[in-house]
Amino acid sequence: MNIGHNVIALTIPLGPSEVHPVLLKDEDGLTLIDTGMFDQYDALIQAVKDAGEAPSNIKRIILTHQDTDHIGNLPALVRELPDAQLFAHPGDLPVINGSQPMLKMTPERIAQLPQARQEEFQQFLEQLRQLKDITELHDGEHLPWGGGLEIIHTPGHTPGHICLYLPEQELLLAADELRIVDGKLAGPWDAATPDMPLALRSLLKLKDLPIRSVLCYHGGLYEGSPQALIGSLTGAL
């Protein structure tokens, strides 16, 4: 789904719902933002092809944060695309490179998984430890891809969670900072957000941005401004 100049939203299934990685298309190749769950590799690659793009043309991978449904296919992509550059915020980088445990995948939660799933997850963690260097992204940093984008550090959902803002298109790539629920824009999911007060304070960073549309990783494209929702969620802060 084309959502703007050189911006393509991919749709891949995740259980009963869908997630929406993004491709930014430039003359020197593609930038993939987030990768889906670690058992979604074939679906991700097919979605790229369905968008009319060659997976081999992915030159950069930006991770918005550490959760498995965002970094799950990173090891497989790196195996297939060894020259692709990797990017993440330093707040989550130690998890993404496997040097620290995941915030939400606690030993107790892992133990509740079926045995086969536990083995898959442990294999995935080992693969993270074998990743090459990951370049740090910092709050306020501007990058040239997709017509130009700004990194906005929005911690709370995870320590290193980022949104990406494309000012030329007034488009916010919200990752998990905003969602679409029953057709309506919503804030972070409290059950998956360990520090909700911080996540709500992070919304204030988006408050004054001119935004015409929002792409939510969970829910897809929202046409319109999020400012009324942000105001209602942060009014008491």
Side-chain angles (χ1 to χ4, degrees):
M1 173 176 56
N2 288 307
I3 58 173
H5 180 62
N6 294 339
V7 183
I8 302 168
L10 305 176
T11 299
I12 53 178
L14 180 64
S17 63
E18 299 169 335
V19 294
H20 299 275
V22 173
L23 286 175
L24 305 180
K25 186 176 181 180
D26 291 281
E27 291 184 1
D28 66 341
L30 301 170
T31 302
L32 175 66
I33 301 170
D34 289 330
T35 74
M37 187 68 80
F38 55 77
D39 57 0
Q40 292 182 297
Y41 180 76
D42 290 344
L44 172 66
I45 294 303
Q46 188 59 54
V48 174
K49 293 178 179 178
D50 290 346
E53 303 298 333
S56 61
N57 205 28
I58 296 172
K59 306 301 181 184
R60 296 162 291 271
I61 303 171
I62 295 175
L63 293 316
T64 62
H65 61 289
Q66 63 174 271
D67 288 347
T68 52
D69 57 332
H70 293 256
I71 70 170
N73 287 306
L74 184 59
L77 286 166
V78 169
R79 285 196 300 272
E80 296 298 320
L81 305 167
D83 295 328
Q85 296 176 280
L86 310 181
F87 298 85
H89 188 276
D92 276 10
L93 200 152
V95 173
I96 295 171
N97 67 19
S99 60
Q100 289 184 9
M102 289 186 163
L103 178 64
K104 303 170 196 177
M105 291 301 291
T106 62
E108 294 78 13
R109 184 176 177 187
I110 295 170
Q112 294 173 356
L113 298 174
Q115 184 61 38
R117 194 67 167 172
Q118 290 186 43
E119 293 172 1
E120 289 178 347
F121 183 71
Q122 294 300 334
Q123 183 181 37
F124 166 66
L125 293 180
E126 181 57 36
Q127 291 169 346
L128 289 181
R129 299 185 188 103
Q130 299 169 19
L131 291 177
K132 62 177 185 177
D133 291 341
I134 302 175
T135 300
E136 293 185 358
L137 295 175
H138 295 276
D139 188 44
E141 187 172 349
H142 291 264
L143 301 173
W145 308 307
L149 59 89
E150 179 183 351
I151 302 301
I152 305 174
H153 182 214
T154 48
H157 186 73
T158 69
H161 186 283
I162 58 172
C163 298
L164 292 82
Y165 177 61
L166 286 76
E168 182 180 277
Q169 303 171 62
E170 297 185 353
L171 170 64
L172 177 70
L173 305 181
D176 285 3
E177 184 69 2
L178 294 167
R179 303 171 293 143
I180 296 176
V181 180
D182 296 329
K184 296 181 179 180
L185 197 64
W189 185 28
D190 54 358
T193 304
D195 193 338
M196 182 59 79
L198 179 57
L200 294 179
R201 290 197 298 274
S202 291
L203 282 172
L204 292 173
K205 290 187 173 183
L206 312 175
K207 192 171 186 297
D208 296 323
L209 292 177
I211 298 171
R212 286 183 293 176
S213 53
V214 182
L215 192 283
C216 304
Y217 194 70
H218 299 277
L221 186 64
Y222 176 82
E223 295 283 6
S225 171
Q227 303 306 352
L229 173 68
I230 292 173
S232 68
L233 291 174
T234 62
L237 297 180

